[in-house]
Amino acid sequence: MSELFGTNGVRGIVNEDMNTDLALRLGKAIGTWIGKNKTVAVGTDTRVSNQMLKNAVSSALMATGNDVIDLGEVPTPAIQYYTRKNTDLGIAITASHNPPEFNGIKCINGDGTELIGDMEEEIEELYFSKNFELVEWNEVGQRTSDDPLELYKKAIKKKIDIKAIKEDEPKVVIDCANGAGCCLSPYLLRELGCDVVSLNAQPDGSFPGHESEPTKENLKDLIRLTKETDADLGIAHDGDADRAIFIDENGEFIHGDKILTLIAKEMVQEKGGGTVVTPVSSSSSVEDVVRENGGNLIYTAVGSPIVARVMKKEEAIFGGEENGGLIFADHQYCRDAAMTASKIVEMIVKEDRLSSLLEDLPDYILKKRGVECPDDLKVRLLEEVKKEFEDEDYDDTDGLKIYYDEGWVLIRPSGTEPKYRVYCEAQDEEKAEMLVSEHQDRVREILKELR
Ligand code: MG
């Protein structure tokens, strides 16, 4: 695994591991990697340290002979859309859902997708070798600014039946978590024809409303307000507004896998078939609805940049993960919260209330547990796990997924913590609990023998 890049770019605590020296050096590595005379769009979420890191990265890009377009505080998918349309590369300064003391730097390819694998390795090599190519004084790049939001909103509006929404005028409560969604989602929803109540809609990198991860715990105010205002829908974003989580008209928190399944079904029905891409950790309900409606499903390793990459290669129509990060191929190949929110609004006005739409979906019980495992034992543990279950029906796309008659179990190392994750899905609570505890114990046993 990469030393510098995690599953979502480079992240760390500000002025500790994520500091101006790193930003400057990484900026030079990125600038050297793309070569001079290119244009790079740089945008941020609402974190306190954004100006500091943005200026360091931008200076380094200009030193390597590249022009910078400053996009300001905007959702990550808006930076991605702008990059695909206008520039050679994009950079998002964000730590997404992490606590306020964190920040991060994420690279976006010229096609709007996030960089992965070998491209990150090449940048990392330059970062460590310091083989930077700084240009002559008269070739230094310049910085201008632009607003990507009108272009981005226009792209979403083109895909949505605004007339139907305007006629119905649904009441929607939007919780922006004081993050990058503040400058976009309340306005977009109003322009689509919704009656909008906004919450935590002032940009503030100390996240005074609640932490920027859209969990049920963090969304108590949204849940209450959705009920109290008799709204048709509650919507929440994470800090950089690439993920959307929903509250139904009864004030019930809806898990991300339900929305993933619901929109997968909708997209396959709309297009009369097509391919849907999702990681091996997703609920079987996605596969069920896609196949039932004549579509095809491809499983990948966990991580939205991988899902996006496979979608592009396989010409898939839709993809996503259970955390509320959904990708619409005819819009752009990255997670897009505003697009997801707009699609759900369209569906509730044209079809039925959200709770009724969800009632028709297959119902499985998904469980997730952890097993502490030091990073240096992760590879050996996986080898042993594979030996242990080699006689079973399995898939080793990411970790090991084992299929049983009563459900499936996925055992995989965490990409960000010293942990193994044990996921399991079955048709009822009892079977799910049995499968997950049994496998959690077996992984612990195997690990004990390795120590
Ligand atoms: Mg995010």
Side-chain angles (χ1 to χ4, degrees):
M1 218 179 113
S2 162
E3 278 177 66
L4 197 58
F5 290 90
T7 21
N8 270 297
V10 185
R11 285 212 193 143
I13 294 177
V14 173
N15 278 352
E16 289 182 19
D17 40 357
M18 178 52 67
N19 54 42
T20 49
D21 292 343
L22 179 145
L24 208 51
R25 194 164 151 187
L26 184 58
K28 286 186 220 172
I30 294 166
T32 302
W33 180 71
I34 53 163
K36 60 183 181 178
N37 297 325
K38 305 286 194 315
T39 308
V40 185
V42 183
T44 74
D45 63 16
T46 59
R47 283 166 198 272
V48 178
S49 55
N50 282 336
Q51 295 291 338
M52 177 186 98
L53 294 171
K54 179 172 76 179
N55 286 340
V57 171
S58 301
S59 292
L61 288 165
M62 290 185 273
T64 51
N66 295 295
D67 288 331
V68 171
I69 303 179
D70 182 353
L71 300 183
E73 284 183 358
V74 291
T76 300
I79 305 172
Q80 292 177 274
Y81 193 81
Y82 187 92
T83 298
R84 176 157 69 89
K85 291 288 176 187
N86 296 308
T87 67
D88 301 295
L89 197 85
I91 290 179
I93 311 283
T94 173
S96 185
H97 58 276
N98 289 142
E101 63 272 24
F102 281 80
N103 211 337
I105 300 169
K106 180 158 88 172
C107 272
I108 298 151
N109 236 336
D111 65 357
T113 59
E114 290 170 39
L115 294 198
I116 51 167
D118 40 350
M119 292 181 250
E120 285 185 338
E121 275 163 33
E122 286 166 24
I123 293 172
E124 198 172 291
E125 215 175 282
L126 287 164
Y127 178 91
F128 287 114
S129 72
K130 296 191 189 171
N131 277 331
F132 305 134
E133 282 173 28
L134 304 188
V135 296
E136 296 288 320
W137 67 270
N138 55 357
E139 288 182 308
V140 165
Q142 302 300 315
R143 175 155 80 172
T144 54
S145 59
D146 201 2
D147 180 354
L149 295 179
E150 283 307 314
L151 178 82
Y152 175 60
K153 277 195 291 189
K154 214 167 120 189
I156 293 174
K157 286 177 178 172
K158 258 198 339 216
K159 307 281 176 207
I160 297 295
D161 188 344
I162 302 177
K163 195 165 160 269
I165 301 174
K166 285 204 161 130
E167 273 167 19
D168 198 74
E169 216 188 326
K171 187 167 201 171
V172 174
V173 186
I174 169 85
D175 182 346
C176 301
N178 303 104
C182 293
C183 63
L184 178 93
S185 294
Y187 305 97
L188 172 66
L189 290 165
R190 216 162 275 146
E191 288 167 33
L192 289 176
C194 300
D195 175 7
V196 180
V197 178
S198 58
L199 181 64
N200 301 317
Q202 310 76 30
D204 188 335
S206 62
F207 303 130
H210 56 76
E211 285 206 356
S212 59
E213 171 79 333
T215 58
K216 190 175 177 182
E217 280 295 289
N218 286 339
L219 300 182
K220 279 187 197 133
D221 289 338
L222 175 64
I223 291 169
R224 182 178 48 79
L225 203 58
T226 305
K227 273 190 212 159
E228 278 176 12
T229 59
D230 231 350
D232 299 291
L233 186 70
I235 305 170
H237 294 327
D238 66 332
D240 67 328
D242 58 357
R243 294 191 280 135
I245 289 291
F246 298 87
I247 311 297
D248 76 8
E249 77 286 354
N250 303 316
E252 287 295 322
F253 176 89
I254 309 299
H255 285 281
D257 60 335
K258 299 272 179 208
I259 299 294
L260 169 66
T261 307
L262 181 65
I263 302 187
K265 179 180 162 189
E266 175 77 13
M267 296 309 283
V268 174
Q269 282 176 345
E270 258 179 37
K271 311 266 177 193
T275 298
V276 170
V277 180
T278 200
V280 283
S281 53
S282 292
S283 168
S284 307
S285 59
V286 182
E287 183 170 350
D288 289 358
V289 300
V290 167
R291 295 214 192 284
E292 257 165 43
N293 290 282
N296 173 39
L297 190 106
I298 297 177
Y299 284 114
T300 65
V302 174
S304 75
I306 302 169
V307 173
R309 210 44 66 122
V310 173
M311 281 178 68
K312 215 177 161 187
K313 187 165 156 263
E314 302 290 338
E315 295 178 1
I317 54 168
F318 176 73
E321 297 190 286
E322 45 71 42
N323 60 7
L326 307 187
I327 307 170
F328 298 79
D330 62 359
H331 172 52
Q332 59 174 346
Y333 286 105
C334 63
R335 299 188 278 209
D336 197 312
M339 183 69 212
T340 306
S342 304
K343 191 74 202 171
I344 289 290
V345 169
E346 184 192 72
M347 287 170 70
I348 64 165
V349 304
K350 290 180 86 167
E351 295 173 30
D352 209 340
R353 294 172 305 185
L354 185 55
S355 67
S356 310
L357 291 174
L358 295 170
E359 262 171 29
D360 297 335
L361 301 179
D363 208 9
Y364 292 104
I365 306 292
L366 192 61
K367 301 237 170 201
K368 213 195 265 189
R369 295 275 168 80
V371 174
E372 304 292 324
C373 172
D375 286 331
D376 57 347
L377 283 180
K378 279 181 175 172
V379 175
R380 277 178 61 210
L381 179 57
L382 186 59
E383 284 166 10
E384 292 304 316
V385 165
K386 282 182 179 171
K387 273 188 219 157
E388 175 90 4
F389 295 98
E390 65 189 353
D391 296 330
E392 305 290 347
D393 178 13
Y394 70 85
D395 172 338
D396 60 359
T397 304
D398 190 350
L400 194 73
K401 187 173 182 178
I402 311 144
Y403 294 95
Y404 297 106
D405 291 340
E406 56 269 49
W408 56 259
V409 175
L410 171 67
I411 301 167
R412 62 177 288 272
S414 160
T416 50
E417 290 173 82
K419 251 185 195 170
Y420 255 72
R421 296 193 193 285
V422 181
Y423 307 68
C424 139
E425 190 179 68
Q427 269 168 353
D428 64 56
E429 178 68 35
E430 204 183 324
K431 280 180 194 150
E433 184 54 43
M434 196 190 71
L435 274 179
V436 80
S437 323
E438 191 190 306
H439 286 77
Q440 190 185 21
D441 288 346
R442 279 173 86 174
V443 173
R444 278 198 188 120
E445 288 295 315
I446 300 169
L447 183 62
K448 220 190 259 171
E449 282 165 29
L450 283 183
R451 285 178 194 265

